[in-house]
Amino acid sequence: MPYTTNDIRNIESKWQKFWDIHKTFHVKMDASKPKYYVLEMFPYPSGKIHMGHVRNYTIADVIARYKMMKGFNVLHPIGYDAFGQPAENAAIKHKTNPAQWTRRCIAQMHDELKRMGFSYDWDRELSTCEAEYYQWNQWIFIKMFEQGLAYKKASSVNWCPDCETTLANEEVIDGSCWRCKTAVVQKDLEQWYLKITQYAPGLLEDLAKLEQWPSRVRAMQENWIGKSYGVEIFFKVKDMPETISVFTTRADTIFGATYVVLAPEHPLVKKLTAGTSQEAQTLDFIKKTANKSKSLRMSGDQRKDGVFTGRHAINPVNGEAIPIFIGDYVLMEYGTGAIMAVPTHDQRDFEFAKLHQLPMRIVIEDPKKPNMTVDQMTQAYEEAGRLVHCGEFDGTPNEEAKKKIAEWMQGKGWGQVSVHWRLRDWLISRQRYWGTPIPMIYCPVCGIVPVPEHQLPVVLPQDVQVTGQGGSPLARVSSFVECICPQCGLKARRETDTMATFFDSSWYFLRFCSAHNKEKIFNDNEAKYWMPVDQYIGGIEHAILHLLYARFFTKFLKDLGLVHTEEPFVRLLTQGMVLKDGEVMSKSRGNTVDPDEVLSQYGADTLRLFILFAAPPEDQLEWNSDGLEGAWRFLNRVYQMVEKRYKSVKSVDINSTSEPDLTLERERNNAIKRVTQSFEEGYKFNTAISHLMVLANAIDKYKNDVPDILQQSLLNRAIETLVLLLAPFAPHVVEEMWQMMGKSEATIARVAWPTFDEKALKTSTIVMAVQVNGRVRAQIQVAPDMPQEELRKICLADGNVAKYVQEGAVKKFIVVPNKLVSIVV
Ligand SMILES: [Zn+2]
Ligand SMILES: [Zn+2]
């Protein structure tokens, strides 16, 4: 009987029901077993799963199922990152309510995930948009507020005009909104921030512990956190009491500083020009720059605009008065928002100086062009060299001078040796509806007051008109806004901004440890047992955003004494993209393949096997219908093998010396060894599957009409091994086959992973080539490691060799063990 589409449907739904009824993948804390926590980045519930999800979750599932068979107590949960803008936008479009829309999407997604046969502990399924979950967001926020880690401040913030909300720095990708790709502009607003910068040293240092993360991700985080050593130099403003602080890592170039540039947002700018003839053009420039995206301002090939403030600063090392400019290529986010410009040794400064005809001075000599003058320069010299025009430092190699000059300046009181971080605090307030209400109250008397713990959750009201226009929708709901101050009892109002949804995903992995705990954020013992996540799987796009925030929250919760680990994720796998016709599958390109359709035609097992066979997990995967067909044929072949060739026999002592029997045993043991290695040495699932195919070939080759019980037992054992090794990849059909074989275990998911015998891997004979005077004359079959004397006898007895060699004429007899015999006559 072939394994038809109809069979697939019946088998897959039968086993999905079985797993549901028996709660096969429900786990409890069990100190007697080693634990293993496998987690995929939980989905945003858009309604339908796409191939990217299927790939991510299939990789996780295969690992989870393998670890279960290896005897681990495996936690493999799923939930939904359910707050966020798309639900709000969809609700506006379809004139429904974001809660209803989201819950409907979750229900649909839940069914699709079940159809894939994923081994989730469904009792832990959670959704961040339910008060049961988000009340703990509020609880964490208040804890942070109490520690001074959540604070409100007015500043220039990233604003997405399309989403009509603020964005964190991490959410601005190449100057655009990470969600809708609209160019981000700056706006002055008072907003809530989380002081992630307080954890910058730990976040940086502990990257070294994450040995099992892709080095690329670690490098991206290191760069984002951006620690740099340098000196903060004080430039006095001429004829004013003010001082401009400039942070530089290049103290070696201070003698070449010929002007200073402030970011247009720098707080001193307005003061410097107030009441002067420069004021109008300065204000105009500030306004123009606010509409430019930061990435555009920072990009190298952009024209560097700026205006002169009319003021001068004093370079402390030589007393020169140098002009102060404001320029769009300087950002408030970096350093102090002001730079000393050294046009001869910094390309951006060079371009700005050329544009505005500013003076230049060479202070590092290019060893290849020792007599170069400023007029001859066509670009800045940014390489190493010895100092010139630097007074007592002339002749010092510039790398050495960096530290020397910094310390010298500190000694003179002209600067302060210091460390700077690129990381900025995390802006988390959003002017949107579909998120966690920030649990704060504004009282006319007491000021900002946190909602007391016993009053949590601050429930997000459901009957809100979401229009997508004009500020926080919650601000228009008077029953929400109006409240009583918990401190003085006077009338007060609630904060109406909601939290960025990355808040929700910064700790969900902890909630899974005791997903529906009513008393606490999570049970301490459970968290202690399950954490950290042993294997985390998700897209590289979260290399900074989510992965940095999750690390920050874990460190904070550790400081509160709630978790015992510094780091949430021991090992990270970033799966590759799914492509079709050479391009990333996406709705906008119109090149998607709907998982639903593949499931209906081929079933989950085939889809899973194809995805895992087509490419290693980290690589891109090119969609290929032939590959899908091939995966289906392979499962069909194994299925028929069980159906036709597996016959129940009495158990016998399996011990044979016949060559075909030994070969089958060798292939069986080899498959176990290779597939196990593929799991243990970097998840090479594609090679694992090819070893399964090799074993299937060996079984097919094994004589068809087995005459006795011994051989049937051997055949059975090989087929059983094949089915067991296939179990993590194609979980439904293996359950069916296990049952067809009359096995006593109710589910193969909990059967022990097979082990191999190193001895059985040894071949009983090997083939050696025999050369006479350098030419191969024969191939002989002998036992491995045969003593030379015996080998000599066999060689000389071989007819073909004997033709060329007469006994007694042998001058040399050379043996390359187990490979070659070379006879010289
Ligand atoms: Zn946007
Ligand atoms: Zn009050």
Side-chain angles (χ1 to χ4, degrees), residues 167-298:
L167 297 172
N169 282 348
E170 290 80 6
E171 289 173 318
V172 181
I173 313 285
D174 296 331
S176 302
C177 170
W178 72 289
R179 192 185 289 286
C180 72
K181 312 273 188 290
T182 304
V184 169
V185 297
Q186 300 302 299
K187 217 175 176 176
D188 285 318
L189 285 172
E190 201 184 8
Q191 298 283 296
W192 284 100
Y193 288 83
L194 300 185
K195 211 183 228 170
I196 188 172
T197 51
Q198 188 168 314
Y199 283 85
L203 288 167
L204 183 67
E205 274 160 34
D206 289 348
L207 283 174
K209 294 181 187 160
L210 304 177
E211 288 159 357
Q212 299 186 71
W213 280 36
S215 53
R216 181 178 161 208
V217 175
R218 285 186 296 163
M220 285 165 82
Q221 290 211 358
E222 184 176 340
N223 181 48
W224 186 261
I225 297 166
K227 183 180 186 178
S228 52
Y229 295 92
V231 57
E232 202 166 322
I233 300 174
F234 315 130
F235 287 83
K236 289 209 168 93
V237 180
K238 197 178 167 203
D239 304 329
M240 282 182 87
E242 274 72 23
T243 297
I244 296 170
S245 276
V246 164
F247 174 76
T248 179
T249 55
R250 296 296 307 273
D252 56 324
T253 63
I254 176 70
F255 286 91
T258 49
Y259 60 97
V260 167
V261 189
L262 304 181
E265 299 86 358
H266 196 287
L268 258 185
V269 169
K270 288 176 184 165
K271 216 177 215 174
L272 292 180
T273 57
T276 71
S277 59
Q278 306 289 331
E279 188 172 22
Q281 70 161 4
T282 308
L283 293 176
D284 186 51
F285 184 77
I286 293 171
K287 209 187 276 172
K288 263 201 322 219
T289 314
N291 289 322
K292 277 191 193 167
S293 81
K294 280 184 191 164
S295 74
L296 198 67
R297 287 170 58 185
M298 280 158 57

Side-chain angles (χ1 to χ4, degrees), residues 753-804:
W753 187 253
T755 53
F756 63 93
D757 178 3
E758 199 63 59
K759 277 191 295 230
L761 292 172
K762 282 233 169 95
T763 44
S764 54
T765 61
I766 51 161
V767 175
M768 291 180 78
V770 185
Q771 289 181 346
V772 180
N773 288 347
R775 296 192 66 176
V776 175
R777 296 301 181 185
Q779 308 274 352
I780 53 167
Q781 206 166 31
V782 292
D785 306 318
M786 184 172 271
Q788 194 165 359
E789 272 316 295
E790 272 179 63
L791 203 54
R792 185 176 178 128
K793 269 184 214 153
I794 292 170
C795 285
L796 297 181
D798 185 278
N800 255 341
V801 176
K803 262 196 241 166
Y804 299 94

Side-chain angles (χ1 to χ4, degrees), residues 443 446 485 488:
C443 168
C446 313
C485 170
C488 70

Side-chain angles (χ1 to χ4, degrees), residues 32 137 219 229 311 322 339 347 367 498 532 621 707 724 733 779 789:
S32 70
N137 284 342
Y229 295 92
R311 297 280 180 184
I322 56 178
I339 62 156
Q347 185 58 26
T498 55
L621 182 157
L724 282 169
V733 69
Q779 308 274 352
E789 272 316 295

Side-chain angles (χ1 to χ4, degrees), residues 398-410:
N398 77 302
E399 283 301 323
E400 200 179 298
K402 282 181 182 173
K403 195 168 172 243
K404 262 192 181 167
I405 294 183
E407 283 167 1
W408 171 69
M409 291 187 73
Q410 176 161 288

Side-chain angles (χ1 to χ4, degrees), residues 299 340 417 504 538 548 562 622 626:
S299 80
M340 61 174 207
V417 175
D504 312 356
L548 189 66
L562 288 171
E622 174 71 38
D626 292 344

